[in-house]
Each structure stands twice: as C-alpha cells, then as structure tokens.
Amino acid sequence: MKALNIPENKHPRVVVIGGGFAGINLIKNLKGKPFQIVLLDKHNYHTFQPLLYQVATAGLEPDSIAYPLRKIFKDFKHFHFRVATAQSVDLKTKILLTDRGPLDFDHLIIATGSDTNYFGNESVRELSMSMKTVPEALNLRSLMLQNFEEALLTDNYSEREALMNFVIVGAGPTGVELAGALAELKNVVLPKDYPDLDIRQMNIHLVEAAGKVLPPMSDESSARAQRYLEKLGVQVWLDTMVKDYDGKKVLTNKKDLPTRTLIWAAGVTGNTLEGVPSESMEKGRILVDEFNRIKGTESFFAIGDVALMKTEQKPKGDPMVAQTAIQQGETLAKNLLRSSSGKEMKPFHYKDKGSMATVGRNKAVVDIKKFHFGGLFAWFLWMVVHLVALVGFRNRAVALLNWVYNYFSYDKGIRLIIRPWKRKITIPKEETPTV
C-alpha cells in the first residue's frame, strides 16, 4: 500500500503520531536503525511549549521556540514526514486513518500530547483563551494589545476596567510564569506605551483551586513564588473555583472578577485517538503498561502526556511534563530495538530531575531533590536549562539575544498586532454611565 506516498521497504514500519518532545526523542534514538519511520503531525514544526508564555507576552517571536520537523531529521535514512491529522486506528488490521488517507504500520506510537481541559465548562471553552500552541499564544498577544488600544477609545469606566484586567486560571508553572510576565509588562513597559491610560487600573488575577501556587512543587518554593508574585502586584486567589464566564465577568466561589481576557491554564487532558479500546482509557488518557504498551495490546504504544502509566507507588502516573515525555521516548526506542533482536524489553522508570518556574526578572524557584532555592541563581539556572533544551542553535541564539536585550533595556520589543484576533462570539459593550 502506497498510502500518503510512503514507499514500501524491507524494514518494519514505525508510525509516530505527534512531533512533540516524546515523538522527536523516540525518533532521534532510532537513527540509523533497521526501521522505516513515518512521522505525522498537523504542524510542520516542533513547539517548545515551556516558552509559549513569552510569545504571548511579547518577549519572544514564535520562530524562537518553533523548529521545522524536516530540519530536525534531515539526515535520517528511511524517515518520512507528512502533515496529516490522525483520525482513528483499527488495531486488528493495523491501519491508521488520517485526513490524507489510510496508512498501514507494524508498530504504532501515539505521542499526541495533551490539550486544554475545561472540565465540562462550555462557556469557558467558548470565551476563554488557552495557550497550548503557537497560534494560540499569538492570539493571546494580539488580544492583549488590542484590549489596550480599545481601552484608549472608551470613556466607560467599567468597560475600560474589563479591558485592562487579566484573569489567569491555574497557578501551575504556566500560570505563574504568565502572571509574572504580565506584571512586568504592567510595571515597566505599558506605562511608556500608553501614557494616556492609567495603567494602575490594570489588575492581574491568578486564580487557583488548590491551597497554594505551584501545587506540584515544595511548600517552600510555593510560598517563595507567591511572595514574588505579590511583590510584582499580582493578586493571588487560592482555594478559588471558577463557576462561569460570560466574556465580561468571571464568576468564582469568592468574588466576581471583571475582565475581557480569561486565560485558562487550569488543566490538561490527553489528545486521544479514536479506535483505542475504551477499557484502555482513563480520565482522558491512554492506559499503558511499564513498557508503554497500550493495555491489552502488543504492537501499539503511547508515550508522553497522552500516556498514563499507573503503579502502586504512583497511582496517578508520572507527571505530565517534558522530562517524562523525553525519557519515555528514549526508553521506548531502546525497547523497540531490543524487541526486534529477540530480547526482553526493560520497564520504564521516571528519573525526577527536579522542577522549576520563573516569576520574573531575577526571580525563579527551583526544586532539585531535597534542595529548594530561589532568587537570582535560580533564575539564571532556569534560563540555562531552557536554552539548552531549545531545538537548534539559531533558536538558542535568538532567545538568548532577546533575553539579554530585554534585561538591559527593561523592554520587550515585539509588541506587534500582526493579525488581529476576533472572538467567534460577539460580546456586547457595557452601557453603564461613563466616568
């Protein structure tokens, strides 16, 4: 079968769905090995998701954190990439259906990552902003700048307040880092850009259902991060649940927050694939064994955020972070080689290399085993780790130059509305008396 124009050869065909951390690290570890590898992704680039918030807040351009997938694997033999969306799989016939046609395989690797979880709140899904992809980050950047331009044009106090307020739901690393970046814009950049506006009216609310920010991190780092945020002017709301959002006001169990911009960073769910047995699914993720095999199958695997590997010690599985995806990709590549040689596969064991989050200029928190620290050194370590993890020398160089420029100039120079963003639903303006 010459589906998707993939030539036949003598090697077993390994189809990888998703060019994220899990997929690209699996393929890298199969370079030069006796497999034909087919990578499918709806985008032609890999996204470094930990820095999406910097694109959204005008700190970096998207080409600093995105890298062409074809360029990553340009020297790989028996490798084929196609821009396609996987739709369903038939595990009996080993046929994958895509929007570009069917594709047969010997081994299937589902590395589709995660998507935003709205927990069934349809109004939030329709009206909030998420930040899982480069286009979504650019949409958020455009909306933020459009709101300030709109605030200049209205003398309605309630309307102006809603346009200048930002509510971020979810105080994990994404929410904390985004809140810190917005606070720095408010304190340093926006007063110069908009001298006609009283930027002091801008409020940044960080809403978290748990009792602390950065719930996965230590209590010490959490408390330190909250102090940093509050010092920057962020209003932190703990033990606070979002009930609804109408495009103008966020309803919570504590206080209603006026805003035209609700940013949802409260949770994720797996990007699953139709055809995976229902008994192999749990809470929106695919259940896998210790070899990342989909439960009840032999040649079908799932790695990264979409995979849930439950054990007695870890009933909730390993954390949905980049390191888990990278390590699972590397381990599965070795196991495919072992299996092809008639050897037993080795179980996956996650190695926790620590966690970190930046809150702003010279401010970050780091947990490495029993060590918890913050401040300037933690911030510097955060920058080094993220620079090293970026794909491609150019991306590292561009990101570093931007950070150095921003640090010494106290500025973020990418405040451009390249493509204005419009909501699918029109929200009526306030008609209250002007001030």
Side-chain angles (χ1 to χ4, degrees):
M1 182 187 293
K2 236 185 173 183
L4 297 179
N5 252 352
I6 306 296
E8 300 286 349
N9 70 10
K10 63 181 180 180
H11 299 305
R13 177 177 291 170
V14 177
V15 174
V16 182
I17 310 172
F21 290 111
I24 65 172
N25 279 278
L26 178 136
I27 295 170
K28 283 180 178 179
N29 282 271
L30 290 178
K31 182 178 182 180
K33 306 303 181 183
F35 294 102
Q36 182 192 56
I37 301 170
V38 180
L39 173 62
L40 306 178
D41 198 291
K42 60 183 178 181
H43 301 296
N44 74 334
Y45 54 85
H46 165 75
T47 302
F48 190 76
Q49 289 187 329
L51 291 180
L52 276 172
Y53 82 95
Q54 292 213 1
V55 174
T57 55
L60 291 173
E61 279 287 20
D63 62 353
S64 302
I65 67 166
Y67 200 82
L69 288 166
R70 293 186 184 280
K71 192 169 182 179
I72 296 175
F73 304 113
K74 62 181 180 180
D75 297 326
F76 283 50
K77 292 183 179 180
H78 311 302
F79 170 82
H80 307 276
F81 170 67
R82 296 293 184 268
V83 175
T85 300
Q87 296 177 328
S88 64
V89 61
D90 189 325
L91 299 184
K92 292 182 180 179
T93 61
K94 291 189 175 182
I95 299 292
L96 176 70
L97 297 180
T98 78
D99 62 343
R100 299 291 184 172
L103 180 65
D104 61 309
F105 57 83
D106 296 291
H107 303 286
L108 178 69
I109 318 296
I110 302 175
T112 45
S114 59
D115 201 359
T116 305
N117 188 354
Y118 297 95
F119 305 101
N121 194 320
E122 289 303 316
S123 62
V124 170
R125 180 192 296 273
E126 288 287 340
L127 297 170
S128 69
M129 304 293 291
S130 58
M131 200 177 60
K132 293 290 293 179
T133 66
V134 169
E136 288 178 342
L138 287 172
N139 288 341
L140 180 54
R141 185 177 81 183
S142 294
L143 178 61
M144 175 186 68
L145 297 172
Q146 287 169 227
N147 281 353
F148 283 102
E149 298 296 338
E150 190 69 23
L152 282 170
L153 300 174
T154 180
D155 54 3
N156 183 300
Y157 181 84
S158 297
E159 182 75 13
R160 190 163 60 242
E161 180 187 32
L163 286 165
M164 294 175 64
N165 284 354
F166 294 83
V167 177
I168 303 166
V169 182
T174 298
V176 166
E177 292 176 345
L178 182 58
L182 283 173
E184 289 195 325
L185 279 173
K186 172 188 175 181
N187 296 334
V188 179
V189 177
L190 296 177
K192 300 174 185 176
D193 277 7
Y194 300 95
D196 296 340
L197 284 176
D198 184 358
I199 298 298
R200 293 174 298 179
Q201 293 180 341
M202 175 182 173
N203 291 297
I204 302 161
H205 301 278
L206 181 61
V207 177
E208 171 58 47
K212 68 175 188 178
V213 302
L214 298 173
M217 297 188 71
S218 66
D219 290 343
E220 183 180 342
S221 291
S222 172
R224 182 179 281 118
Q226 185 171 342
R227 289 198 301 271
Y228 289 156
L229 288 166
E230 291 172 343
K231 189 175 180 180
L232 286 168
V234 177
Q235 299 184 42
V236 180
W237 299 84
L238 302 178
D239 298 309
T240 304
M241 299 284 292
V242 172
K243 295 180 177 180
D244 205 356
Y245 179 54
D246 62 3
K248 296 181 290 185
K249 185 179 294 183
V250 179
L251 307 181
T252 79
N253 61 328
K254 289 189 175 180
K255 182 181 179 179
D256 297 343
L257 305 171
T259 184
R260 287 280 185 166
T261 310
L262 172 62
I263 305 165
W264 193 261
V268 293
T269 185
N271 270 321
T272 55
L273 182 64
E274 186 179 338
V276 175
S278 58
E279 59 269 22
S280 302
M281 303 287 296
E282 183 174 313
K283 295 180 180 178
R285 298 171 70 188
I286 300 174
L287 287 168
V288 298
D289 64 14
E290 65 270 31
F291 308 112
N292 280 100
R293 284 183 305 208
I294 298 174
K295 287 290 183 72
T297 71
E298 290 295 326
S299 301
F300 312 99
F301 303 84
I303 54 177
D305 285 356
V306 75
L308 176 57
M309 186 185 294
K310 297 173 63 176
T311 64
E312 290 185 5
Q313 296 76 22
K314 296 180 179 180
K316 295 183 179 180
D318 293 309
M320 296 171 72
V321 295
Q323 268 303 318
T324 303
I326 292 168
Q327 292 176 33
Q328 287 185 349
E330 293 171 349
T331 300
L332 180 54
K334 294 174 183 177
N335 276 332
L336 288 174
L337 289 169
R338 294 181 65 85
S339 179
S340 67
S341 303
K343 299 178 182 178
E344 289 188 1
M345 296 192 293
K346 293 184 177 181
F348 171 77
H349 295 289
Y350 174 63
K351 297 176 182 177
D352 188 355
K353 296 185 178 181
S355 52
M356 57 180 62
T358 182
V359 187
R361 180 187 181 89
N362 298 338
K363 298 178 181 70
V365 291
V366 174
D367 286 346
I368 301 178
K369 295 184 178 179
K370 295 182 179 180
F371 298 99
H372 318 295
F373 55 95
L376 179 61
F377 177 69
W379 180 72
F380 180 76
L381 181 62
W382 178 92
M383 283 202 304
V384 171
V385 168
H386 284 71
L387 277 176
V388 171
L390 276 170
V391 177
F393 173 79
R394 178 191 175 278
N395 285 26
R396 298 187 191 108
V398 171
L400 179 60
L401 286 172
N402 271 279
W403 288 344
V404 170
Y405 171 80
N406 295 343
Y407 187 83
F408 287 104
S409 67
Y410 287 84
D411 193 11
K412 295 188 177 183
I414 314 171
R415 300 184 297 281
L416 308 173
I417 306 173
I418 298 296
R419 48 172 207 183
W421 186 79
K422 292 184 179 180
R423 295 185 188 275
K424 296 178 182 178
I425 300 175
T426 302
I427 302 169
K429 294 185 178 181
E430 294 283 349
E431 296 181 358
T432 52
T434 59
V435 175

